[in-house]
Amino acid sequence: MTRRHRSVACNNCSVSLSPVGDYAVVFPPAGSGGSGRQEGNSKAAVPRRGRRRIETKEEPTPRASRPASLVTHGDLEPYIQRIAYGDTSPVLTGKPITSISLSSGTTQGKPKFVPFNDELLQSTMQIYCTSFAFRNREYPIGNGKALQFIYSSKRVTTKGGLTARTATSNVFQSEQFKHTMKDIQSQCCSPDEVIFGPDFQQSLYCHLLCGLIFSDEVQTISSTFAHSIVHAFGTFEHVWEELCADIREGVLSSRITVPSIRAAVSKLLRPNPSLADSIHNVCVRLSNWYGVIPELWPNAKYVYGIMTGSMEPYLKKLRHYAGSLPLMSADYGSSEGWIGANVNPSLPPELATFAVLPNIGYFEFIPLEKSEVQDLEKSASTIHYIEAEPIGLTEVEVGKEPVSIQVGRHREGSRLPSTPEIQFVCRRSLVLSINIDKNTEKDLQLAVEAAALLAEEKVEVVDFTSHADTSTEPGHYVIYWELSCDATEEVLRACCNCLDLSFVDAGYVGSRKVGAIGPLELRVVRRGTFQTILHHYLGLGAAVSQFKTPRFVGLSNSTVLQILCRNVTGCTFSTAYGP
Ligand code: AMP
């Protein structure tokens, strides 16, 4: 069943419902599984609950359940057209539209245009403060700064004269963002010129430099999505000597050529040989950069960013850089609006749940009912589901089937006795499929995790994606791996077989057994290939801050497919189901 936008109207609010495109599970009650805290933490665990009461300052109206009688199924296209042509009146939203947010486009192939207004800005600040309060209860931070790897996207203007950029850019450029960051003791070390710079590589270098200049003051290390932190420290491994030289001499590297960035960062730079020496000593002493973050930022209390969903594959590397510091997974949102806050921040990111904040949006959930033939052992992501009729927030049942989420915004909030906690499963539209098989990005992630365990100790899967190759008869899955260093053919053969066997979806296994799907192919790509893919998306107007590696590359995404193909250094076919 395909669902398009639906519009909902009621006497004091009007909202547009948009499918977020994710699957989630409503979390089962306390005591039903899930471990406690992260290693290295000594305080008592925060109990996990299926539903939780969240106190907010506002006293919104009791309107959380679905206003069923008021639901109208309408086509929003005419309204979206009006917005694109500059009509900013509050037709779909409670407050006038101030700009357009562009979604990352890494989920559906191309960016979506989503209205942005002050109401969304306010709810963003609210969720920042709410989750900060929960984090701060566990790990209080002192007055200081945050090393934030945040970047703005390019700005474009719509036909009607509205500014369009990524949702995070809309947030970063607002005055409220700065005030809120100050309130929650998380002011960015870098000046605005770095965040809004036109060249991402130069901004990244300067974020690192500013973070080092203020190293004693830094309380947290963060980014919107964890990928940016891993990427930043991958870069640090190559540029640390240059950074030391800049700090020693007090002169900015010639690699920074954007005048505004040069001027702003040069103002912060003074010759500081003792800081340069101490950074140098740390870097030469570290073993393969393990624990670089707490070594260089001794007052940092935690590392913060979205670490769930498509960010999970980067956790291993992030833990390596973070050493003893806890990782705190950030909130759950989308360009359309915020969905939930991580109110159990001390849980490891793999177990993070999000309390839906009923007063920041109107939510509908599409229950996913199991189809007739089911293997009860399978995970939420591998079972094939039928989408039922949407239900409201108060109708969601804890511990029942997974749900798909639709979010809308409304002017008046809702007050609930309790709110459900949900766990992110995967993005809905991303499916690897040749015929009757169906594997989600979560299935792919689990397969890659299992296979990567077979690689030698030093060999890490830096990044990965996949393609359903139907140019051969029968078609077959192709998995692309970028590795940290070379692996032997024998190891790659074992990994390839393991990948093939890890896709346990009945459609896939059955098709493989009868030869309706050919042997899985593991293609290793050159180092830096996924950087090239990132740059390709940046060229299209995406921002690093919202980037998620596409885990499936279809034929329609020909540029990314070409990047992958021209960088292949070797391939192996599975023999798991026979030669
Ligand atoms: P965008 O397309 O740029 O609006 O990004 C929104 C998408 O990012 C969501 O639909 C999710 O797929 C993903 N996302 C956002 N927050 C989280 C989170 N906390 N955990 C997992 N995925 C997330």
Side-chain angles (χ1 to χ4, degrees), residues 130-145:
T130 304
S131 61
F132 173 75
F134 280 90
R135 273 196 318 282
N136 216 39
R137 200 175 62 178
E138 302 291 319
Y139 299 98
I141 58 172
N143 240 334
K145 290 188 187 294

Side-chain angles (χ1 to χ4, degrees), residues 288-452:
N288 195 25
W289 302 100
Y290 178 81
V292 58
I293 298 179
E295 287 289 341
L296 289 178
W297 289 277
N299 296 318
K301 307 290 183 301
Y302 52 83
V303 176
Y304 181 64
I306 294 173
M307 297 172 189
T308 35
S310 52
M311 295 298 125
E312 266 189 47
Y314 308 113
L315 280 175
K316 190 172 169 211
K317 195 71 187 175
L318 194 57
R319 286 201 166 99
H320 182 84
Y321 289 134
S324 57
L325 279 187
L327 303 185
M328 303 243 173
S329 196
D331 307 314
Y332 176 22
S334 69
S335 303
E336 291 86 349
W338 286 98
I339 298 162
N342 180 3
V343 294
N344 300 312
S346 53
L347 285 174
E350 290 88 343
L351 301 176
T353 56
F354 305 98
V356 179
L357 296 183
N359 57 329
I360 59 170
Y362 175 84
F363 300 93
E364 269 189 354
F365 298 83
I366 303 172
L368 301 171
E369 290 168 3
K370 289 171 198 157
S371 58
E372 305 269 284
V373 195
Q374 286 305 334
D375 177 350
L376 293 174
E377 293 299 302
K378 286 179 181 169
S379 72
S381 63
T382 55
I383 299 171
H384 295 183
Y385 287 102
I386 298 165
E387 296 185 353
E389 277 304 300
I391 53 174
L393 189 60
T394 52
E395 295 155 311
V396 168
E397 285 185 54
V398 170
K400 235 187 145 199
E401 59 268 300
V403 288
S404 176
I405 300 166
Q406 308 205 98
V407 59
R409 299 181 211 148
H410 59 147
R411 197 167 31 193
E412 300 286 335
S414 316
R415 187 178 173 78
L416 285 179
S418 62
T419 188
E421 279 181 44
I422 55 175
Q423 192 162 46
F424 185 90
V425 177
C426 60
R427 288 177 283 177
R428 170 168 78 154
S429 55
L430 298 181
V431 180
L432 188 55
S433 175
I434 301 248
N435 47 50
I436 55 163
D437 52 305
K438 205 173 175 195
N439 283 294
T440 65
E441 63 172 336
K442 184 79 185 175
D443 302 322
L444 174 65
Q445 183 198 317
L446 294 173
V448 169
E449 269 171 22

Side-chain angles (χ1 to χ4, degrees), residues 80-99:
I80 305 247
Q81 286 298 323
R82 279 172 61 175
I83 294 164
Y85 280 94
D87 180 352
T88 56
S89 58
V91 179
L92 296 174
T93 53
K95 286 193 178 161
I97 292 150
T98 51
S99 53

